[in-house]
Amino acid sequence: MTFALLIEQLLNGVQLGVMLFLMAAGLTLIFGVMGLINLAHGSLYMVGAFACASVAALTGSFWLGLVASLAAAAAAGALIEITVIRRLYQRDHLDQVLATFALILIFSEGTRWLFGSFPLYLDIPPLLQGAVGLPGGAQYPVYRLAIILAGALVAFGLYALISKTRLGMRIRAGESDREMIAALGVDIRTLYTLVFALGAALAGLAGAMVGALQSVQVGMGEPVLILAFVVIVIGGIGSIKGALVGALLVGSVDTLGRFLLPQALALMVPPDQAGLIGGALASMLIYILMAIILAVKPRGLFPAQA
Amino acid sequence: MKREDAINLVLLLALLATPFIAQAMGETFTVTLVTRITILALAAVGLNIALGLGGLVSFGHAAFFGIGGYAAGILASHAMSGEPMLFGFEGSNQMPVVWLAAAIAAGVVSLAIGAISLRTSGVYFIMITLAFAQMVYYFAISWPAYGGEDGLSIVLRNAFPGVNTMRPMEFFLVCFGVLLAALIFSALLRSSRFGAALQAVRQNEVRVASIGISPMPIRLTAFVLSAMITAVAGALYADLNRFVSPSMLSWHMSGELIVLIILGGTGRLMAPVAGAALFVVLEFWLGGITERWQFFLGLILLATVLFARGGVIGLLAGKERHG
């Protein structure tokens, strides 16, 4: 094991974390403002990836695809908010889980209907191809660095939006007292649709960016969704700061665990055994992390509301 | 007799009679279909103790379903190969032993999962049970000893004393017997002191605590009981398909189990049976007309949640009285 390899894995962990943050930020925002648990968030991620891949294939431009992914995911989000989700705010969580579970079935099968069962592929744009040298002599893909940068920009933008703008002020007000801000004349229905579309667009962006790293296929959103759940449970549901910290924590623990655990075990048991046990343990590591954090802080690291 | 009781009785009789009629008409496949309904209903009866009575929305019951399935598969494979497993135990192909093992394994795991996740409530509980089930799922995939991602075949269905379980009809009767036992247990539990306390905890936790009953042990007991029944269903399901794979542990399975209860009617004793029957029939019927059956299943489910909250039993028996 070299130092360079460790750096590379650490960067991979941060990149996974950034991607999880884009998913988790939307989920936690929607929960914080509307009190809604949205299982279909993974479907919006998938919509973004498919929109990007098909527009990029059609026009030959990744950047147009990226714009399309934001637009398509936001539109899909607004559409389901107006037709379905809006009826669920007053319902209990069980109904929300079921209705959004039904939406997953509809989205997945609908996408398979439109695009077929074969995965689509998305190329990394020419501008971001290639690799840069890291200290220690390793090479690291520019595209993954770009994802990290994009995630950092989104995190900053989200912070600025929520703490500095009028819309952000309304979102924060909606979190603390929805009746009151409706009484003050804010159109709460439009605000909810906007917040939902914003969360959807972030998921779509994540889907589009990851689409260039792996194949774009039906069902790609679900593993990410569950990881994003782990992230917001760790961070504290409703807290964007919690989502950021949780995402980076989960991303690096997962990546480094898969890399280091088999090697650490190899010091104690025979190598073939170590790979086996290490691999199985590493796949459980983030859930163990979640269990430990919850045992100490049942409401997550940054509880949003008292 | 109340209207709901009459409906329940008719449902059970129909479930019992259908395979006999199908058998007489030579439609053996229908027997298997009804067996599937019976087993899924049993799994949902388990979940209904946590979800219906206790108000604990567990989105991770596939973990217990799959653990039951793997208990059956692993014991059977050891009994087949004669290779001893832990503590020199040689496996077993006897259903009662397998069920016991399934229930104990799920009981231990659910005790650990419950002890952590029941510290939280609401959305946290939903997400945490989901996450723990995923943990079990990934473990099953990455642990190659029992098939890993490919799953594990059961060559011969496990045996039940005095019954030839390889015959569809006799296997169905075994499953029906277990379902009936579970339903009776669940009805007794509902009207017991424990059941009253559990429902009280669902309705108002603070009040229950203020009259000197601690909510946590009650919830945990309900959660573990619920997991154990679901695990027995998992063992039967593995026997039905003679195959167990990580897909039994997947979160789609957890979702389906909740869907069964909601389709049947939340909080009703027989919701799992009505829901499972409707679900399997829908799946079979839609699957026959279109390849895209999941799309329409999603639409039907969405409509049920939005507009018909009482489910099948609510539709037939009218509104539930408080209690």
Side-chain angles (χ1 to χ4, degrees):
Chain A
M1 181 181 68
T2 62
F3 180 66
L5 205 56
L6 189 67
I7 295 271
E8 191 183 328
Q9 292 297 327
L10 196 63
L11 280 173
N12 278 343
V14 173
Q15 182 255 310
L16 176 65
V18 157
M19 216 243 344
L20 286 176
F21 168 69
L22 291 180
M23 283 291 282
L27 270 177
T28 207
L29 198 62
I30 289 167
F31 183 80
V33 179
M34 285 96 100
L36 178 101
I37 168 169
N38 178 23
L39 294 184
H41 211 67
S43 300
L44 298 166
Y45 171 88
M46 179 184 72
V47 166
F50 269 92
C52 184
S54 45
V55 169
L58 215 63
T59 62
S61 160
F62 174 84
W63 305 105
L64 279 178
L66 207 58
V67 174
S69 76
L70 283 170
L79 181 73
I80 60 171
E81 202 276 339
I82 290 167
T83 51
V84 178
I85 305 287
R86 187 170 278 185
R87 300 167 201 272
L88 296 171
Y89 295 141
Q90 303 302 325
R91 301 286 192 87
D92 59 16
H93 294 312
L94 180 58
D95 283 358
Q96 300 175 348
V97 163
L98 279 165
T100 48
F101 183 72
L103 283 176
I104 294 181
L105 294 181
I106 295 171
F107 266 108
S108 297
E109 207 53 57
T111 310
R112 204 170 286 145
W113 213 337
L114 281 176
F115 292 92
S117 302
F118 292 103
L120 304 182
Y121 294 96
L122 185 59
D123 287 327
I124 294 173
L127 184 65
L128 300 175
Q129 276 168 2
V132 286
L134 290 179
Q139 297 281 308
Y140 198 75
V142 178
Y143 185 70
R144 283 180 187 263
L145 286 178
I147 291 185
I148 297 177
L149 186 68
L153 284 177
V154 168
F156 179 75
L158 215 50
Y159 163 76
L161 174 79
I162 288 183
S163 59
K164 305 284 183 217
T165 65
R166 181 166 275 275
L167 176 66
M169 196 193 290
R170 287 182 173 165
I171 290 176
R172 278 180 289 139
E175 266 176 333
S176 36
D177 196 328
R178 57 194 77 176
E179 278 87 18
M180 203 61 204
I181 78 155
L184 288 172
V186 174
D187 182 357
I188 196 108
R189 285 162 76 98
T190 317
L191 178 70
Y192 281 4
T193 310
L194 268 177
V195 170
F196 199 87
L198 174 66
L202 290 179
L205 177 66
M209 291 199 304
V210 170
L213 293 176
Q214 58 182 50
S215 59
V216 174
Q217 57 190 342
V218 173
M220 64 187 287
E222 289 154 18
V224 184
L225 174 80
I226 291 165
L227 284 182
F229 277 163
V230 174
V231 165
I232 63 175
V233 164
I234 288 178
I237 304 178
S239 155
I240 301 240
K241 186 165 86 177
L244 182 62
V245 174
L248 292 176
L249 200 60
V250 167
S252 27
V253 165
D254 189 52
T255 312
L256 290 181
R258 280 171 209 281
F259 171 60
L260 292 176
L261 218 52
Q263 301 194 11
L265 280 172
L267 302 175
M268 290 174 266
V269 291
D272 55 327
Q273 288 275 311
L276 208 75
I277 304 173
L281 260 183
S283 66
M284 296 166 67
L285 203 58
I286 53 166
Y287 303 102
I288 298 171
L289 172 77
M290 177 186 80
I292 294 171
I293 288 179
L294 283 176
V296 185
K297 301 190 93 174
R299 296 181 63 85
L301 293 175
F302 300 93
Q305 284 134 342
Chain B
M1 193 190 258
K2 276 195 309 178
R3 195 162 152 202
E4 187 178 336
D5 293 334
I7 290 169
N8 289 350
L9 199 64
V10 170
L11 257 174
L12 270 183
L13 287 177
L15 189 67
L16 183 59
T18 314
F20 283 100
I21 298 168
Q23 180 94 326
M25 290 167 63
E27 305 254 356
T28 344
F29 179 68
T30 310
V31 181
T32 309
L33 213 58
V34 178
T35 312
R36 198 172 126 80
I37 293 177
T38 311
I39 295 172
L40 286 178
L42 177 64
V45 167
L47 176 59
N48 206 17
I49 291 178
L51 193 143
L53 286 185
L56 306 169
V57 183
S58 163
F59 206 157
H61 259 53
F64 312 127
F65 193 65
I67 285 173
Y70 270 99
I74 291 172
L75 286 179
S77 80
H78 279 283
M80 192 83 184
S81 66
E83 221 174 281
M85 46 193 293
L86 242 52
F87 314 118
F89 185 56
E90 282 180 2
S92 171
N93 57 6
Q94 293 298 312
M95 280 190 185
V97 180
V98 168
W99 296 341
L100 190 68
I104 291 175
V108 171
V109 176
S110 64
L111 195 64
I113 293 182
I116 297 169
S117 22
L118 285 168
R119 289 166 56 88
T120 65
S121 60
V123 197
Y124 277 92
F125 184 75
I126 298 176
M127 292 186 190
I128 291 162
T129 45
L130 172 64
F132 277 125
Q134 280 307 103
M135 174 172 108
V136 178
Y137 172 75
Y138 285 121
F139 180 76
I141 282 189
S142 57
W143 192 256
Y146 295 106
E149 208 164 348
D150 299 329
L152 183 64
S153 288
I154 300 175
V155 183
L156 280 175
R157 233 172 234 166
N158 289 312
F160 192 83
V163 177
N164 179 0
T165 50
M166 286 307 282
R167 289 210 191 113
M169 198 64 204
E170 295 181 30
F171 182 61
F172 164 74
L173 287 173
V174 170
C175 297
F176 188 81
V178 180
L179 174 65
L180 205 59
L183 279 170
I184 292 171
F185 174 75
S186 155
L188 290 177
L189 189 77
R190 189 178 279 251
S191 52
S192 69
R193 282 164 55 91
F194 174 78
L198 181 60
Q199 295 182 62
V201 169
R202 182 191 73 214
Q203 286 159 4
N204 195 330
E205 186 179 343
V206 179
R207 270 197 194 174
V208 171
S210 75
I211 54 169
I213 303 175
S214 175
M216 178 72 178
I218 292 178
R219 285 195 169 133
L220 191 56
T221 312
F223 189 71
V224 172
L225 277 178
S226 152
M228 289 167 96
I229 294 176
T230 303
V232 173
L236 284 171
Y237 196 74
D239 266 334
L240 171 70
N241 300 324
R242 287 193 280 148
F243 179 64
V244 46
S245 75
S247 73
M248 266 179 85
L249 293 156
S250 81
W251 74 296
H252 266 270
M253 194 70 229
S254 296
E256 262 180 45
L257 290 179
I258 300 182
V259 166
L260 297 184
I261 294 178
I262 304 306
L263 280 180
T266 326
R268 314 278 185 150
L269 176 66
M270 288 285 282
V273 181
L278 183 64
F279 184 82
V280 172
V281 168
L282 264 181
E283 192 183 60
F284 180 69
W285 175 66
L286 285 174
I289 356 183
T290 161
E291 216 178 302
R292 308 285 170 217
W293 59 274
Q294 288 207 342
F295 186 84
F296 298 99
L297 188 70
L299 286 179
I300 292 173
L301 182 60
L302 196 58
T304 313
V305 178
L306 291 181
F307 306 113
R309 299 176 70 192
V312 179
I313 300 205
L315 219 60
L316 296 174
K319 275 207 169 141
E320 191 179 25
R321 286 182 302 171
H322 284 288

